[in-house]
Amino acid sequence: MRRGAGQGRAPLEGLRIIDMTHQWAGPLCTRLLADMGAQVIKIEAPRRVDGVRYAVLPRGYQGSEPWNNGAAFQKFNRNKQSLTLDLGAPEGRRAFLRLVLTVDALVTNFSPRVMRNLEIEYQRLRRARPDIIVLAISGFGATGPYRDWSAFGTSLEPMAGLASLTGYEDGPPMRLGVAIPDPIGALHGAAALAAALLHRRATGEGQLIDLSLRESAMRLVAWPLLDYQMNGRTAERMGNAHARMAPHGCYRCKGKDAWVTLAVRSDEEWARLRQLLPPLDRGQFATTKERLRHRRELDQVVEAWTSHRTAAAVTAALQSLRIPASPVNNSKALFGDPHYLARGFFVEIATPGQGRRHYPGLPYKMLDLKGSLPMQPAPRLGRDNARVLGGLLGMRAGELGLLRRRNVIGTRPLGQ
Amino acid sequence: MLGRKRGALDRFRVLDLTQYIAGPSCTALLAGMGAEVIKVERPGGGDPARRLGPFPKDTPGNEHSGIFLYLNAGKKSVTIDLKHPEGRGIFLRLLAVSDLLVESFSPGAMKGLGLPVAGLRKRFPTLVIASVSNFGQYGPYREYAATELTAFAASGLMALTGDPEKPPLAPPYPLAQHVAGLTAALGILISLWTYQASGWGSAIDASLTEALTSCSEHNLTWFSHQSRVRKRSGSRHPDNHPMTILPCRDGHMGVTIGFGQWDRLSLLVGKPELADDPRFETGAGRRQLADAIDGALLPWLAERTREQVLEEAQGLGLPFGAVLDINELLEDKQNRARQYLETVESPESGRWQVPGAPFKMQTTSWKQPRAPFLGEHLGEVLCGLLGYSSADLARWRRERVVS
C-alpha cells in the first residue's frame, strides 16, 4: 500500500505556533493549521479573554462557565491548546519571551497599536529569535494612515469596495450574510505562513507577514476596477442579474421561502432549457442579446415554471441537461446534503457538556487523509497552563502557583 | 535591496493546467510568491479567460482580457495539444521536472486525456497534484455544472444574503472561484512542507462549494447546536446591532460597534442618554430595537460626509467603514501609502492598476509582472528546459502538436 500522510504523521506535526488571535479571522487562520496537526497554543490574558468564547451560547444559557461553552468558540478553536498569560505583567511577559524561543511562528490579530503597547512587535521578537515568523493580521495593515483604525469584517467589506457592488437594482449597497473579509484573510494568512515556513527551511530566514484583511479582500474587485479604467464604466448594482448571461437569477419555487438559482451560459443551453419550459413564441429569446434585452420578461417566464416545482426538482431537471442550477440551501439543508455526507464534509466532535456536534471539516480534501485526522474539541480556558509552562518551559509547581495568585494565569476570566 | 529579494517559493516549479478564474487565482498566488508557473494552454484559443474581458474600449482581443492579464501575471505560457500522443509525451517530460501540477478540468477529464491523477501519482511519486472543481472529485454532485451564482446558492451563503421580503441575493464578484483557488493553494503549500521533505506526493481536491461553505459564520453552529436556521436579514446582523450599512450625506457607511462600545456610539451621535437605557444594553436587545436605533443615527449621519463620519467614529475607536466605490480604491490614501495596487500591461493597449499582494512578506518578494502571450514561452520551456532541438519544435509546430 502506498505510504501517505494517512498512514503516518499529520502533515504539520512538529510545528509549534503561538496564537494570540481573537474573534474570527485570526482563530480561523490558526485552526486551518491546527486541523493539519500543528501544535497551536492559544494565549489569552485572564483579564481579556477571546470575546468569541461567549458567542452562540445555548438559548437562555444559565449554566456555569459560559466562556467554555460557546458554540462559535468551539468552531474556531478545535485542536488547539489553551494557555492563559497576562503579557501586561512582568512575569507574564518573561514567560512569553521564553516561549517564543521554542516556537516556529506567532500569529496575532491585534491592531499595530496594541502590538506596540504589548511590546511584541516583530522587530523586538526577532532579537530574541532571529528566525521567528510573525503573521500579524490587522484590518488595514501595519503601515499607512489607517493602520490604527478599528476594523470588523462588517466594516472592511464596505472599505474593500465589495459592498458597493452587492445589492438589488436601484437599491442601496449591501453586505453579504457573512463578514466575508474574515475567512478570506484567514485563508491567505495560513497560506502565507506555510510559504514563509518553506522559505525558512530553505534559507534559515524568518520574517514578518503584514496581512491587511482589507487588502486580501480587495483581490476580488479586479474586474470592476479594470472596467472602470478601460471603459470608464462604474459598476452598477443589478441584483442577481448578469451582464452576459440570461436567464441568470434566483427564482421562487414550491414551498415556504424556497428558491432556486440557475444560469444559462450560452444559446445552446437556452435551447436545452426551452425543452422544459412551456411553448414560447417561435424564436423569442433565441440569442443572448435578445434574452439580455428582455431580461425581466424572461425572468417571469422562468419563474412561472419554477414556482410550481420544488427547488430540488428544478435543479435535477437542469443538471440532467448540464445547465448550472442549485437550490438556495440553508444550514439545515447543508447538514443533510447527500453530497456533503458522501464527502464527509462535516466532522463530529464530542465536546464536554455539549455532546456530539457537527462542524464544517477541512475546506479542501487532502486525498491521503480521507477522514483520518483526529479532531479534538476546543480547550477549556487555561487547560494547558501546566503542560506548556511546566512541560515546555520547565516551571515548577511553586512558580505556577505564584503566577496563579497574581492572576497572570488562571482558568476563569477575571471579573467573572 | 528590493531587486535582491527572493520569492518564498522561488525553488518550486508548477505545471498549470487551469483556466478561467478558480485555478488561475491559485497559481497566481504561487507565482506572486516566486514559483515558476508554466501554463499549459490549448493550441488555438488558449485559456478561455483570454476572451472573458473586460477589454480596453470594449474591444475583444486574445491578449487584452483584463481578468486574464490580472490572474496570469508572471506565468509562462506554452501551447501543447494534450490529445495528441506526442503532446502528451512532452507534457509528461515537463511533469517529471515539476514539483506541482494544478488542474481545473471537470472531474474525469484528466482521465479522458489519458492522464488520470492516480496514474500520474504512481508514475511521479513525489508530485503534488491539486484539482479545483465545482463540487470536488467524488460525491454525487461531482459532475454538476455551476457558476458563481449557483455555487453561492449551494454553499449556504445565499440563504443568508439579501432582504427578507426580496429574493435571496448573490454578489457579482467571483467569490467562489477565489476562495476555491485559495483553499487549493493552502493545501498545496502544506503538502509541499510535509511531503517535499519526506519524498511523498499528495493530491488535493478543492471545490467551489466546500470552500464557500467554510466561509460561513456562526449559522452552521447555530443549527448544529441549537437547531436554529438562520435567514437573510438585509445588511443587518441577525442578532446584534448596529452591524449594518446606513446612508450618510455623500453615500453609505458601514456602521459597526464592538463589544461594550454602545456608550461610545451614543456619545458619537450626541445622545448620551441612550447609553443609560437598559433596553440597549445587549446586542440582542439592540437588535430588537434596530429601527429605533437607526432612527437615532440617521439624522446625525445625514449631516456628515463619509470622511467626516469616519474621522469622528474612528477617533472614538469605533470600527466604522465607508462604502467605497470601486474607482475610489484607486485614490484611497491607505492603498497609496502601502503601494497596494500593481500594474498590468498589455503592450499594445495600455497599462492599468489592479489589486496587488494579498499580504506583505517582509523578507521575501511579491511579483506581479506582465502576463504571457499565448505560447510565448514554447522555445524557452521545450528547448531551454527540456532540451528538445529547434528542429523538433518546428516539426511539432507544423504538425500542430504545439502552436
Side-chain angles (χ1 to χ4, degrees), chain B residues 283-402:
Chain B
R286 291 193 299 273
R287 183 63 181 81
Q288 300 271 318
L289 299 164
D291 287 339
I293 290 172
D294 289 357
L297 302 177
L298 285 170
W300 185 87
L301 288 164
E303 287 171 5
R304 288 163 177 81
T305 63
R306 289 170 297 168
E307 199 175 340
Q308 290 168 321
V309 174
L310 272 181
E311 198 182 310
E312 292 188 49
Q314 288 286 351
L316 290 173
L318 294 169
F320 281 28
V323 176
L324 297 183
D325 288 332
I326 295 304
N327 54 306
E328 292 176 306
L329 301 177
L330 294 169
E331 303 302 325
D332 180 79
K333 281 184 229 162
Q334 184 74 357
N335 284 344
R336 294 211 151 190
R338 283 170 64 79
Q339 298 180 304
Y340 172 68
L341 296 170
E342 298 267 351
T343 301
V344 296
E345 61 178 304
S346 154
E348 295 155 51
S349 45
R351 294 159 61 88
W352 302 278
Q353 290 188 289
V354 288
F359 39 73
K360 293 196 186 295
M361 298 176 87
Q362 197 173 73
T363 307
T364 51
S365 63
W366 174 267
K367 63 183 173 75
Q368 211 168 303
R370 179 175 68 76
F373 302 126
L374 184 61
E376 181 179 346
H377 301 91
L378 262 177
E380 179 186 326
V381 172
L382 267 54
C383 303
L385 178 65
L386 296 182
Y388 289 115
S389 69
S390 45
D392 290 330
L393 186 56
R395 180 173 62 83
W396 284 327
R397 278 190 203 274
R398 275 197 310 277
E399 294 169 5
R400 301 203 171 275
V401 176
V402 306

Side-chain angles (χ1 to χ4, degrees), chain A residues 192 195-200 203 205-209, chain B residues 2 4-11 32-34 357 359-367:
Chain A
L197 284 163
L198 286 164
H199 179 76
R200 191 182 71 179
T203 64
E205 291 176 335
Q207 67 178 313
L208 171 69
I209 306 160
Chain B
L2 266 174
R4 288 209 299 275
K5 269 192 187 178
R6 301 177 58 178
L9 302 179
D10 69 359
R11 59 197 66 72
M33 290 191 279
F359 39 73
K360 293 196 186 295
M361 298 176 87
Q362 197 173 73
T363 307
T364 51
S365 63
W366 174 267
K367 63 183 173 75

Side-chain angles (χ1 to χ4, degrees), chain B residues 257-274:
Chain B
I257 62 171
F259 185 73
Q261 290 189 323
W262 172 246
D263 52 346
R264 277 191 244 181
L265 180 65
S266 311
L267 274 182
L268 175 75
V269 299
K271 294 190 164 68
E273 67 278 8
L274 293 178

Side-chain angles (χ1 to χ4, degrees), chain A residues 11-12 194 198 201 364 366, chain B residues 100 128-129 184-198 200-204:
Chain A
L12 297 183
L198 286 164
R201 177 149 74 196
Y364 54 88
M366 201 175 269
Chain B
L100 176 63
V128 172
I129 304 178
L186 177 58
I188 285 166
L189 292 166
I190 289 175
S191 293
L192 289 176
W193 170 260
T194 304
Y195 301 119
Q196 180 200 27
S198 25
W200 302 334
S202 167
I204 307 297

Side-chain angles (χ1 to χ4, degrees), chain A residues 134-166:
Chain A
V134 174
L135 168 60
I137 303 173
S138 61
F140 296 97
T143 59
Y146 306 168
R147 67 177 182 189
D148 288 325
W149 280 11
S150 300
F152 273 46
T154 51
S155 48
L156 293 167
E157 189 181 342
M159 287 293 285
L162 299 175
S164 77
L165 302 169
T166 309

Side-chain angles (χ1 to χ4, degrees), chain B residues 14 36 71 80 98 122 207-208 229 278-279 283 347 369 399:
Chain B
V14 182
E36 179 188 5
L71 289 174
I80 302 176
S98 298
K122 215 165 279 168
S207 70
L208 270 62
V229 177
R279 294 177 304 159
E399 294 169 5

